[in-house]
């Protein structure tokens, strides 16, 4: 092979598959490369016919080959892997982990944080989406599961186009990635017109378990789960499937909201989960002229934290539950949510974004309890 062909191969091999997020050389997708004068012919194979990322990969391969000095024309031929090649690829992506095993069990190094609330409309999903992006911004490998069956709002909040599905390579399901967060919504797995809300307990339980098993997140530092509000079947199922999960309780400052938030925190604790903190959202905000807008009053977050720090009815030992953040009302937070542009990226100077970024910092530096030891989270 000529030196130029070697250079073309190296350039092409470094192109990243946008879904698998690895160089295509590592994924065994590069085939023959020939150079004839100033023309390079490059042949690559993709995982499946009509792979959604195909056009982008083809263009990136073309650009990479054309960047090699002496190459002015590039012909790209795109083929498809054989079933055997695909099997080898999925095995490699699993990194030796067996298929069909729920990866977030008690011995997993991934920290699982459930974000729950007593009732809907307190901004739980908005906070969760921004928190996930802020954690990823701090170098953590973050997964986000939208289990809020009443809304499925996470994909929209992160700007993932409606109808986006995980990429399937045989039985391997890879979550879409938005702002460096691997994101799946149970809504992506429903048939048209189907509603999870109508499902009965055992069906829900099976689905949640299957979902956590079949979606391949790879190694994660933290998995956030946007829970449905309240203490329904999903909350109980997830409590059973992930008993070592930690719980963040989101509330507004309003007394009525804090009462139900306390109840949801107590139920989580009863399933063995640890409530690691309270997040108050829609707290008072100050206008540039100094006027304070306190639509929902103040003090609810501290009230929930206090109540969840109290010992249980049988004197059981409960560690302190801190108020981890107080996020002010913010027009930018709402607008960013509507537009699918998280404000922790778009408007990091907004007071609500600052509070969420600070919350992410507090979480990232808080070790989780594993077999009685505090483990720091891995900062990449
Ligand atoms: P939940 O998940 O608790 O049902 P959402 O995240 O869907 O709540 O938020 C409900 C509405 O409140 C959304 O329109 C969202 O944009 C808005 N919202 C959330 N937090 C704030 C805030 N701090 N300031 C202003 N609007 C907010």
């Amino acid at each position: 092979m000529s030196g130029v062909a070697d250079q073309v191969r190296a350039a092409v091999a470094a192109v990243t598959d946008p879904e698998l997020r690895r160089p295509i050389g590592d994924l065994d997708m590069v085939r023959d490369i020939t150079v004839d004068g100033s023309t390079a012919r490059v042949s690559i194979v993709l995982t499946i016919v009509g792979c959604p990322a195909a056009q982008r990969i083809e263009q990136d391969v073309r650009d990479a080959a054309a960047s090699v000095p002496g190459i002015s024309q590039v012909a790209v031929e795109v083929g498809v892997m054989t079933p055997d090649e695909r099997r080898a690829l999925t095995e490699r992506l699993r990194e030796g982990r067996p298929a069909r095993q729920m990866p977030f069990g008690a011995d997993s190094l991934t920290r699982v944080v459930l974000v729950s609330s007593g009732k809907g409309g307190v901004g739980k999903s908005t906070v969760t989406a921004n928190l996930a992006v802020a954690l990823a911004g701090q170098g953590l490998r973050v997964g986000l599961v939208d289990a809020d069956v009443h809304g499925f709002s996470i994909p929209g909040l992160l700007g993932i186009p409606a109808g986006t599905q995980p990429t399937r390579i045989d039985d391997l399901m890879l979550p879409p990635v938005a702002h460096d967060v691997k994101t799946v919504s149970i809504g992506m797995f429903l048939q048209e017109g189907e509603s999870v809300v109508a499902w009965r307990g055992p069906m829900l339980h099976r689905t949640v378990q299957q979902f956590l098993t079949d979606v391949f997140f790879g190694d994660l530092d933290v998995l956030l789960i946007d829970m449905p509000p309240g203490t329904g079947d999903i909350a109980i199922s997830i409590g059973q499937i992930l008993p070592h999960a930690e719980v963040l309780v989101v509330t507004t400052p309003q007394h009525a909201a804090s009462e139900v938030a306390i109840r949801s925190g107590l139920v989580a604790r009863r399933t063995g989960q640890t409530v690691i903190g309270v997040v108050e959202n829609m707290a008072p905000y100050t206008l540039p002229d100094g006027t304070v807008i306190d639509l929902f009053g103040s003090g609810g977050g501290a009230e929930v934290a206090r109540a969840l720090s109290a010992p249980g009815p049988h004197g059981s030992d409960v560690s302190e539950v801190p108020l981890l953040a107080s996020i002010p009302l913010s027009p930018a937070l709402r607008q960013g949510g509507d537009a699918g542009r998280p404000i922790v990226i778009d408007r990091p100077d907004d007071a609500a974004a600052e509070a969420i970024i600070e919350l992410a910092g507090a979480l990232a530096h808080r070790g989780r309890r594993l077999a009685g030891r505090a483990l720091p989270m891995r900062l990449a």
Side-chain angles (χ1 to χ4, degrees):
M1 199 188 279
S2 77
V4 179
D6 281 343
Q7 287 175 40
V8 172
R9 179 171 289 280
V12 167
V15 166
T16 307
D17 180 308
E19 287 173 316
L20 304 180
R21 299 167 77 74
R22 304 248 176 110
I24 62 171
D26 291 0
L27 298 169
D28 259 350
M29 291 178 170
V30 185
R31 294 291 184 267
D32 293 341
I33 292 187
T34 54
V35 173
D36 185 5
S38 61
T39 302
R41 287 179 205 288
V42 179
S43 127
I44 57 169
V45 287
L46 302 179
T47 51
I48 41 170
V49 182
C51 151
Q55 275 186 350
R56 160 113 177 254
I57 297 177
E58 187 178 336
Q59 187 58 48
D60 289 352
V61 163
R62 190 177 300 283
D63 294 346
S67 74
V68 172
I71 299 297
S72 57
Q73 296 236 41
V74 182
V76 183
E77 188 193 318
V78 181
V80 178
M81 286 186 176
T82 64
D84 279 350
E85 288 170 340
R86 256 200 325 266
R87 205 165 306 125
L89 174 64
T90 56
E91 260 163 39
R92 174 134 25 115
L93 290 172
R94 278 201 186 95
E95 291 161 356
R97 258 173 299 213
R100 311 245 163 248
Q101 195 183 72
M102 212 281 289
F104 304 112
D107 56 351
S108 147
L109 290 175
T110 302
R111 203 166 151 187
V112 181
V113 179
L114 315 183
V115 188
S116 54
S117 66
K119 63 184 190 112
V122 301
K124 169 183 53 60
S125 301
T126 306
V127 170
T128 308
N130 276 279
L131 176 60
V133 174
L135 283 166
Q138 297 186 10
L140 298 178
R141 297 165 300 178
V142 183
L144 173 50
V145 168
D146 180 8
D148 184 352
V149 292
H150 300 279
F152 295 132
S153 52
I154 292 290
L157 287 164
L158 292 178
I160 298 174
T164 302
Q165 294 276 322
T167 303
R168 286 167 204 252
I169 308 174
D170 300 336
D171 62 351
L172 191 75
M173 256 191 268
L174 297 153
V177 181
H179 309 290
D180 278 334
V181 175
K182 294 180 176 174
T183 307
V184 276
S185 168
I186 296 185
M188 292 173 183
F189 295 80
L190 298 180
Q191 309 292 329
E192 218 179 298
E194 196 179 11
S195 161
V196 181
V197 181
W199 289 358
R200 311 203 63 105
M203 172 99 167
L204 267 176
H205 190 85
R206 253 197 325 277
T207 307
V208 171
Q209 184 142 35
Q210 205 172 46
F211 177 82
L212 288 170
T213 303
D214 290 352
V215 176
F216 183 78
F217 287 97
D219 287 333
L220 293 180
D221 294 308
V222 59
L223 178 72
L224 295 183
I225 303 191
D226 184 25
M227 300 286 282
T231 51
D233 283 343
I234 288 231
I236 292 166
S237 273
I238 292 183
Q240 287 169 354
I241 297 166
L242 302 166
H244 66 294
E246 299 175 321
V247 179
L248 268 184
V249 176
V250 182
T251 185
T252 66
Q254 208 176 3
H255 179 66
S258 43
E259 276 189 345
V260 284
I262 292 168
R263 207 173 315 139
S264 81
L266 291 175
V267 167
R269 194 196 286 166
R270 219 170 296 140
T271 63
Q273 295 162 337
T274 313
V275 180
I276 52 167
V278 175
V279 174
E280 181 179 71
N281 185 34
M282 306 190 180
Y285 88 110
T286 310
L287 293 176
D289 71 357
T291 316
V292 175
I293 310 283
D294 62 345
L295 216 54
F296 297 108
S298 57
E303 187 184 333
V304 177
R306 222 174 13 251
L308 293 176
S309 296
H314 309 297
S316 53
D317 199 19
V318 170
S319 52
E320 178 88 13
V321 176
L323 176 61
L324 288 175
S326 184
I327 303 164
L329 281 160
S330 154
L333 182 56
R334 184 193 55 72
Q335 286 154 5
D338 289 346
R341 302 175 64 88
I343 61 162
V344 291
I345 290 180
D346 247 31
R347 297 279 310 275
D349 56 334
D350 180 87
E354 281 174 354
I356 296 172
I357 292 167
E358 206 172 301
L359 169 64
L363 277 181
H365 292 106
R366 183 187 186 280
R368 75 162 179 157
R369 289 185 303 176
L370 182 74
R373 281 182 306 139
L375 285 180
M377 289 180 81
R378 178 189 161 281
L379 275 164

